[in-house]
Amino acid sequence: MLNNRTAKTLAAVFFGVFIVAVIFAIARPGGPVTVVSGGSAQAGGKYQRPYPMPHQWWKKTDEFYVFASGGQQCGIYVYTLPMMKYLAEIPVYCNDNAWGWNTEDPKVKKMLTNPWTGQLMDRGDTHHPALSKTKGVYDGRWLFIPDKINPRVARIDLKKFRTEEIVWIPNTNGGLHGDHISPESDLFAVNFEHEQDPAPEIKQHLGVQVDPEKGPYLAGFAGIKVDQDGRMSNAWQVWGPFQTDLMRIGWGKSDGWIINTTYNSERATNTVGMFKKDHDYVFLWNRASIEKAVADRKYVTTKQAPDVPVVSWKDVEVYAVPIPLNPHGVDISPTGKYAMVSGKATSTVTAVDLEKALQAARDKKFIGEDNGIPILDPKVVYAAQMDIGLGATHIEFDDKGYAYIGYFVDSDVKKVTMGAPYTDLHKKEPWKVAEVIPAHYSVGHLLVPGSDTAKPYGKYLVVMNKLTKDTFTPHGPLITENHELFTIGDGPAQLVDQMPLGPETHYSQAIPVSLVKPDMVYEIPDKIETPRVEYDYDKKEARVYMGVVRSFFTPDAFNVPQGWKVKMVLTSEEEAFDITHGFTIDGYNVALSVDPGEVREVEFTADKAGVYWFYCMWFCSELHMEMRGRMIVIPESEWSKDKETKVVLAE
Ligand code: CUK
Ligand code: CUA
Ligand code: CA
């Protein structure tokens, strides 16, 4: 046997040889493409980067876009799999200078303004993005994302990677949480996690009184109709005694059912109170029964929203399945048969057989009721209850009959076998741990591409850790998040990459690159506004129509009386892709991007007299620095009509 010292010397020699080999490889420019080994995957495996790096390597190697909610970042992060290349942010609920999305654009401002109070709400918290579907699988048209702070839902157009529309939800102050899209994308639904003392009309219709200080309060969820062209509108709300946390809209075996969890069946107002009962619920809501209640006019409307029907939980078909201690995630298996539910304060994860649950509901096999909601017998509807770890959070599914359960406390992912029909796929004993995958650290959501569809893609697992600790180089007390990529499928999961991503993603969805075909430029409108300045003395408004093209603003100077409103329409006449211009004015708190072919509006008040340069912020040509112009703000007492700017266009 080698003594310790010999072993160390041998190791040093080995390491030296390895280093020399690497240096040799690096020192051969123009040599054949090699793969530098030493990663965690199979040496020379496809997840390692080649050296020298061929141009477009990432583009040619990536298979999926990932859309990750940004949490307090307010929008969506976009990156790719398997190369983990951070590409973009899609701004939604906050001003975002980097991505040219600010509220001096009246369209952005309108979307972010509460229609009932008129208040601009440019703070947000995004949690659960949902990709649009056709026939239960992703179609690459839109991405939906609600705000948790304010009651609103955004739709992002995947042609432009931009927020296209925001619909505000009436009758609630905020606290929207879980959400999901129906298999044909005609209904988007979102849970009210935070209980409310709602409008008197709602309390009266429900026949429930609320003590504004002590509660118990009311909650429910909202249904949003999505048109063929994506346009959203409030369709209905269901209100009742219980808050609701996470949601899935079923498909396959659970088609037509909205499935959500409550962790506060106690209807308490503090943490201790929310743990009083040893169980809470998963609810099964029959979508058709809600629509029938609306059609039968069994609803009320409120002063705030006279056209949004509010239905009582008593007038719809709903069942409860007891789930131990404060469930959080509820996720549905690919055939729609199982709802897997995690309990935050229990070591169990429950698999509810939705087929059996719906049969038991038809047979009226109840073991009681809670606030009038019939309770199904766990003995009949549970497919399994697995006691396999601490702090279960969320669950994802692959294409081979496995479920992946994230654990916050255990800091790992348990890969488990599911029951029939999935036993045909994995051919193992069902509801057992097949593999424990360590995470760094404390798992929140996880992502397997296509997990919430009838046909998951499998192949990759991204673990979204809530804590990062010692993973990356230190950078102060507020620490980045960590998305960890594993390959899954044949053989044990392999950690192939880790990526820091800013605070704080909750859930992500991934779609094949081939299903998203973004436009790279805007279509230049048929009629381009002639550059000009119009002065409206009645409204005290100057309207500036400005052309934007390398490397000019036309007009490049305009006069405006002090105190007037300035409304600008900026038209990019660029047709070349990747030539974005910016528009900002010294001292005026105005900044936007103008993408190729894009028409952008800006509004502000010219409240300070003097000469103010505006300039382009995106480096667009070698004359980028020269791409600037002047706004001259003249005190009203010195203004006369002959100061009006006349734009003379060069022939
Ligand atoms: S919640 Cu954040 S990890 Cu909003 Cu989906 Cu569970
Ligand atoms: Cu246009 Cu820089
Ligand atoms: Ca509880």
Side-chain angles (χ1 to χ4, degrees):
M1 213 183 165
L2 292 175
N3 68 30
N4 211 5
R5 176 187 274 237
T6 323
K8 271 191 192 150
T9 316
L10 272 180
V13 169
F14 238 65
F15 187 65
V17 168
F18 173 72
I19 293 288
V20 168
V22 170
I23 290 172
F24 185 67
I26 290 170
R28 284 174 54 219
V33 172
T34 56
V35 172
V36 179
S37 58
S40 53
Q42 325 82 294
K46 58 182 288 205
Y47 301 104
Q48 291 163 339
R49 58 171 65 185
Y51 178 85
M53 174 69 65
H55 181 51
Q56 297 184 338
W57 167 257
W58 312 113
K59 185 177 158 185
K60 285 175 184 157
T61 319
D62 272 322
E63 297 164 47
F64 293 94
Y65 289 102
V66 177
F67 297 102
S69 65
Q72 45 274 34
Q73 173 262 11
C74 288
I76 296 287
Y77 294 110
V78 186
Y79 68 87
T80 57
L81 292 182
M83 289 307 171
M84 305 295 271
K85 286 289 155 193
Y86 162 82
L87 295 181
E89 286 175 31
I90 305 172
V92 185
Y93 296 114
C94 295
N95 283 283
D96 186 341
N97 219 44
W99 292 89
W101 179 263
N102 285 332
T103 47
E104 49 273 19
D105 176 337
K107 283 190 193 134
V108 176
K109 187 174 180 185
K110 183 157 187 251
M111 282 195 264
L112 299 193
T113 300
N114 181 318
W116 300 289
T117 65
Q119 219 186 335
L120 173 69
M121 305 303 267
D122 55 356
R123 299 292 184 274
D125 181 15
T126 54
H127 284 236
H128 302 104
L131 284 160
S132 62
K133 299 176 186 177
T134 302
K135 295 194 167 76
V137 295
Y138 300 149
D139 57 21
R141 288 183 292 171
W142 311 300
L143 181 73
F144 298 87
I145 180 78
D147 182 8
K148 183 164 174 179
I149 304 176
N150 295 287
R152 49 189 174 176
V153 173
R155 179 173 52 87
I156 291 161
D157 176 8
L158 292 181
K159 278 266 168 229
K160 298 287 191 297
F161 283 49
R162 284 280 179 181
T163 301
E164 176 100 346
E165 186 189 10
I166 292 176
V167 66
W168 285 73
I169 318 277
N171 304 327
T172 171
N173 297 328
L176 308 184
H177 196 216
D179 59 78
H180 206 219
I181 185 84
S182 66
E184 295 294 341
S185 299
D186 59 336
L187 177 75
F188 180 85
V190 59
N191 284 335
F192 302 157
E193 184 194 344
H194 296 169
E195 303 84 349
Q196 312 277 311
D197 177 6
E201 300 94 315
I202 296 180
K203 288 185 276 194
Q204 205 181 9
H205 182 66
L206 266 57
V208 179
Q209 288 312 309
V210 174
D211 180 328
E213 279 181 74
K214 299 196 188 109
Y217 302 110
L218 303 169
F221 56 102
I224 293 166
K225 177 173 176 259
V226 182
D227 284 349
Q228 278 298 305
D229 62 356
R231 212 131 274 285
M232 301 183 290
S233 54
N234 281 283
W236 42 256
Q237 299 185 350
V238 178
W239 282 76
F242 300 118
Q243 59 95 243
T244 48
D245 184 20
L246 271 292
M247 175 192 283
R248 283 288 178 251
I249 299 180
W251 62 89
K253 303 280 185 201
S254 47
D255 198 16
W257 292 80
I258 298 167
I259 296 154
N260 53 17
T261 50
T262 182
Y263 58 77
N264 187 18
S265 64
E266 296 86 351
R267 306 180 72 198
T269 51
N270 58 38
T271 312
V272 173
M274 293 180 199
F275 281 103
K276 282 243 159 80
K277 283 170 65 177
D278 64 1
H279 68 270
D280 295 288
Y281 301 113
V282 160
F283 296 119
L284 316 178
W285 306 84
N286 183 329
R287 174 182 167 182
S289 77
I290 298 167
E291 288 161 351
K292 183 166 187 305
V294 173
D296 293 348
R297 312 202 127 259
K298 283 192 193 159
Y299 64 77
V300 74
T301 60
T302 60
K303 213 165 114 208
Q304 186 188 40
D307 49 2
V308 180
V310 173
V311 175
S312 165
W313 91 102
K314 293 174 189 162
D315 291 328
V316 303
E317 192 184 351
V318 53
Y319 307 99
V321 179
I323 301 287
L325 276 164
N326 290 34
H328 182 46
V330 55
D331 292 283
I332 292 181
S333 70
T335 58
K337 181 175 168 73
Y338 299 109
M340 290 187 62
V341 196
S342 57
K344 289 195 290 278
T346 153
S347 55
T348 57
V349 170
T350 307
V352 176
D353 187 325
L354 293 170
E355 243 184 318
K356 283 192 186 156
L358 297 174
Q359 189 55 50
R362 281 189 292 271
D363 299 344
K364 302 206 185 307
K365 282 194 191 144
F366 307 129
I367 55 164
E369 53 88 28
D370 190 341
N371 281 274
I373 301 177
I375 300 174
L376 297 168
D377 186 352
K379 286 200 284 296
V380 176
V381 305
Y382 280 13
Q385 195 162 44
M386 291 170 289
D387 190 350
I388 52 174
L390 285 179
T393 48
H394 298 278
I395 299 117
E396 293 274 286
F397 305 94
D398 70 7
D399 53 338
K400 298 188 169 63
Y402 295 97
Y404 298 76
I405 309 167
Y407 285 88
F408 184 88
V409 179
D410 286 355
S411 220
D412 59 26
V413 175
K414 267 100 179 176
K415 174 177 172 179
V416 303
T417 53
M418 288 193 288
Y422 304 102
T423 35
D424 294 345
L425 289 172
H426 55 65
K427 306 220 179 338
K428 296 194 184 86
E429 199 187 332
W431 310 114
K432 292 279 180 266
V433 178
E435 194 183 340
V436 177
I437 304 165
H440 308 85
Y441 301 93
S442 296
V443 184
H445 276 273
L446 10 86
L447 158 71
V448 175
S451 176
D452 74 326
T453 72
K455 278 194 174 25
Y457 298 95
K459 203 165 175 186
Y460 301 112
L461 166 72
V462 178
V463 180
M464 283 160 263
N465 297 293
K466 289 285 149 197
L467 304 176
T468 310
K469 300 191 188 208
D470 58 357
T471 306
F472 302 111
T473 311
H475 46 281
L478 179 56
I479 299 177
T480 186
E481 312 290 322
N482 177 17
H483 281 218
E484 289 192 287
L485 172 65
F486 295 83
T487 52
I488 52 172
D490 309 320
Q494 302 257 23
L495 175 64
V496 292
D497 210 348
Q498 298 180 315
M499 182 177 67
L501 199 60
E504 163 183 338
T505 53
H506 289 263
Y507 180 51
S508 305
Q509 292 201 330
I511 183 170
V513 167
S514 60
L515 289 182
V516 181
K517 295 260 175 345
D519 297 339
M520 300 307 282
V521 297
Y522 284 83
E523 217 170 287
I524 295 186
D526 295 339
K527 184 185 164 287
I528 294 180
E529 294 286 357
T530 313
R532 64 187 187 280
V533 187
E534 292 170 358
Y535 295 86
D536 186 328
Y537 288 83
D538 294 332
K539 289 188 179 164
K540 294 201 169 194
E541 201 173 274
R543 290 186 286 271
V544 183
Y545 297 88
M546 188 176 274
V548 183
V549 73
R550 275 162 293 173
S551 300
F552 310 92
F553 292 106
T554 312
D556 66 359
F558 63 89
N559 295 345
V560 57
Q562 186 179 4
W564 278 35
K565 194 157 210 192
V566 180
K567 289 191 172 178
M568 305 187 67
V569 178
L570 301 153
T571 305
S572 165
E573 289 157 38
E574 299 287 355
E575 284 172 277
F577 93 98
D578 201 17
I579 303 295
T580 286
H581 298 285
F583 181 83
T584 183
I585 310 179
D586 296 354
Y588 263 94
N589 216 33
V590 161
L592 285 174
S593 62
V594 194
D595 294 336
E598 192 179 20
V599 179
R600 210 81 211 255
E601 291 171 47
V602 197
E603 284 183 18
F604 59 96
T605 304
D607 49 8
K608 298 176 290 284
V611 178
Y612 295 89
W613 285 94
F614 50 84
Y615 69 92
C616 170
M617 284 180 297
W618 263 257
F619 205 108
C620 52
S621 76
E622 70 276 31
L623 296 180
H624 157 76
M625 306 305 295
E626 288 81 353
M627 191 170 173
R628 59 186 170 117
R630 290 159 301 146
M631 172 175 75
I632 299 156
V633 184
I634 297 170
E636 252 190 317
S637 58
E638 294 165 31
W639 181 267
S640 56
K641 275 215 160 200
D642 60 350
K643 298 254 181 351
E644 288 185 2
T645 299
K646 307 248 176 326
V647 181
V648 184
L649 297 175
E651 284 305 303

